[in-house]
């Protein structure tokens, strides 16, 4: 999985909002705190608002806040709001792929890749990351001998 700058910024902005929850934060505050371009952040926050993850309040005291508790918002929900489906194969969902011959069983592998990705991003909330308390099965993945090595 490749996480774009848009996805990375969206998760980081959501984490800022989670840490401040339920207080409103301005785009300027989030942009400065997370060292990201304000205009790009505004577009990301608009996507998160359309997805129902954040709410906006206009006015001098306005800003953005999470629409739900940080415990209820997963990293996967944030990524999907700005990136679309988590796993795709040439623009198709894994279950929509079809191959002949020796590759006929490949769709099962693509579905398994998506399922393993979901087991991480859909089971980790913003609160988990803010508090540094990842679920045990995610912590175990980070402890694998080659987890931190580039391949």
């Amino acid at each position: 999985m490749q996480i774009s700058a848009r996805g990375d910024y969206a998760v980081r902005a959501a984490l800022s909002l989670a840490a401040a929850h339920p207080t409103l934060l301005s785009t300027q505050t989030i942009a400065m705190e997370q060292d990201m371009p304000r205009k790009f952040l505004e577009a990301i926050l608009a996507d998160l608002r359309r997805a129902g993850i954040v709410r906006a309040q206009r006015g001098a005291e306005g800003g953005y806040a999470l629409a739900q508790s940080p415990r209820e918002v997963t990293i996967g929900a944030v990524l999907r709001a700005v990136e679309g489906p988590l796993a795709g194969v040439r623009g198709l969902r894994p279950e929509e792929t079809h191959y002949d011959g020796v590759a006929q069983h490949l769709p099962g592998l693509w579905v398994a890749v998506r399922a393993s990705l979901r087991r991480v991003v859909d089971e980790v909330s913003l609160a988990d990351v803010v508090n540094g308390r990842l679920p045990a099965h995610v912590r175990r993945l980070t402890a694998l001998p080659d987890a931190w090595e580039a391949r």
Side-chain angles (χ1 to χ4, degrees):
M1 171 183 195
Q2 179 70 28
I3 299 172
S4 69
R6 186 175 194 84
D8 178 56
Y9 286 178
V11 171
R12 290 168 46 207
L15 290 170
S16 288
L17 294 170
H21 184 74
T23 304
L24 294 169
L25 293 181
S26 69
T27 54
Q28 185 63 34
T29 299
I30 298 168
M32 286 176 39
E33 180 181 293
Q34 292 298 324
D35 190 26
M36 59 181 71
R38 190 175 60 86
K39 285 293 186 189
F40 193 30
L41 174 61
E42 287 172 356
I44 289 166
L45 289 168
D47 286 344
L48 294 175
R49 186 183 52 75
R50 280 189 292 278
I53 293 172
V54 302
R55 63 179 177 80
Q57 182 174 313
R58 296 180 189 258
E61 300 296 317
Y64 290 87
L66 289 179
Q68 303 171 45
S69 161
R71 294 180 195 279
E72 297 173 19
V73 181
T74 66
I75 300 298
V78 173
L79 289 172
R80 282 185 192 90
V82 297
E83 304 272 19
L86 295 177
V89 181
R90 297 177 298 114
L92 298 172
R93 293 180 181 268
E95 70 276 8
E96 295 172 340
T97 60
H98 174 79
Y99 306 98
D100 294 321
V102 296
Q104 68 182 329
H105 302 292
L106 197 50
L109 177 67
W110 299 149
V111 168
V113 167
R114 179 181 60 190
S116 66
L117 183 58
R118 285 176 176 171
R119 284 221 2 130
V120 175
V121 298
D122 287 343
E123 296 180 22
V124 175
S125 72
L126 295 174
D128 293 333
V129 177
V130 167
N131 296 322
R133 294 189 194 116
L134 298 176
H137 73 280
V138 175
R139 282 195 319 271
R140 281 193 296 274
L141 290 172
T142 66
L144 292 173
D146 63 345
W148 295 86
E149 295 175 14
R151 285 192 192 176

